[in-house]
Amino acid sequence: MKINQTCMLVGETISLVPYRPHHVLKYHGWMQDKELRELTASEPLSLEEEFEMQKSWATDEDKLTFIILNGTEISESREAEESRMIGDENLLFLFSPDYGEINIMVAEKKFLRSGVASEALTLMMNYASEKLPVVKFSAKITNTNLASMRFFEKNNFVRISESEVFQETTYEMDTRNKTKTSQ
């Protein structure tokens, strides 16, 4: 999405930066991990397809994506920034501009269960609520990804549906009243 192409969101221990071409090689490396693809319901892509995907994410008006970096300093070089990459976070606008489906991937295993996903979630939700008209967030989790289910429940999302066909569970949060939603 063009709106985030010049911004950096800074938290206490991480930063979110736009997904740029110099991130693609490391991201593509992460996505070679079969378990990570299964947990994120992702299909394997060639490196060329990954570069095309990055271009699409940078220009599509219905997708917002950031790379999660360890640390809060501004990197002095692309190489330094690439060395700090630990995951990514996306917000998809599938139904309306005020409803975003959020995806978080912590790809570097040493950062799992360290609090960075919660910090990334808060940064993205605050940004989307302040800069865009987003008031409702959802997350679709593969039914076998119990850690992600617990994560979204811990972060005040409520389970609203489960699809046997797609083998996924949907969680939702409405920020207008900071309470859990139900349908």
Side-chain angles (χ1 to χ4, degrees), residues 42-55:
S42 300
E43 295 295 322
L45 299 176
S46 69
L47 184 57
E48 183 179 318
E49 290 170 322
E50 205 70 74
F51 273 105
E52 288 301 316
M53 187 69 72
Q54 182 277 324
K55 284 181 194 171

Side-chain angles (χ1 to χ4, degrees), residues 14-17 30 66-70 84-89 104-106 116-117 120:
I14 62 164
S15 306
L16 302 180
V17 297
W30 289 336
F66 287 98
I67 293 295
I68 305 170
L69 303 178
N70 182 36
R84 295 174 43 219
M85 289 174 60
I86 60 175
D88 81 326
E89 184 169 26
I104 304 170
M105 175 182 74
V106 177
V116 298

Side-chain angles (χ1 to χ4, degrees), residues 69-114:
L69 303 178
N70 182 36
T72 60
E73 66 277 357
I74 295 174
S75 296
E76 294 184 19
S77 69
R78 290 178 174 182
E79 294 79 16
E81 186 171 280
E82 185 180 326
S83 72
R84 295 174 43 219
M85 289 174 60
I86 60 175
D88 81 326
E89 184 169 26
N90 309 301
L91 193 60
L92 312 173
F93 303 96
L94 305 174
F95 306 112
S96 70
D98 67 344
Y99 184 88
E101 179 184 316
I102 199 159
N103 304 302
I104 304 170
M105 175 182 74
V106 177
E108 295 293 330
K109 293 191 186 322
K110 71 180 183 180
F111 290 95
L112 291 173
R113 293 167 188 73
S114 69

Side-chain angles (χ1 to χ4, degrees), residues 156-168:
N156 297 318
F157 280 67
V158 67
R159 182 186 306 222
I160 61 165
S161 67
E162 189 170 330
S163 169
E164 291 300 320
V165 174
F166 295 110
Q167 292 295 298
E168 67 184 15

Side-chain angles (χ1 to χ4, degrees), residues 19-25 51 54-55 78:
Y19 184 28
R20 302 209 189 276
H22 64 276
H23 299 131
V24 172
L25 200 55
F51 273 105
Q54 182 277 324
K55 284 181 194 171
R78 290 178 174 182

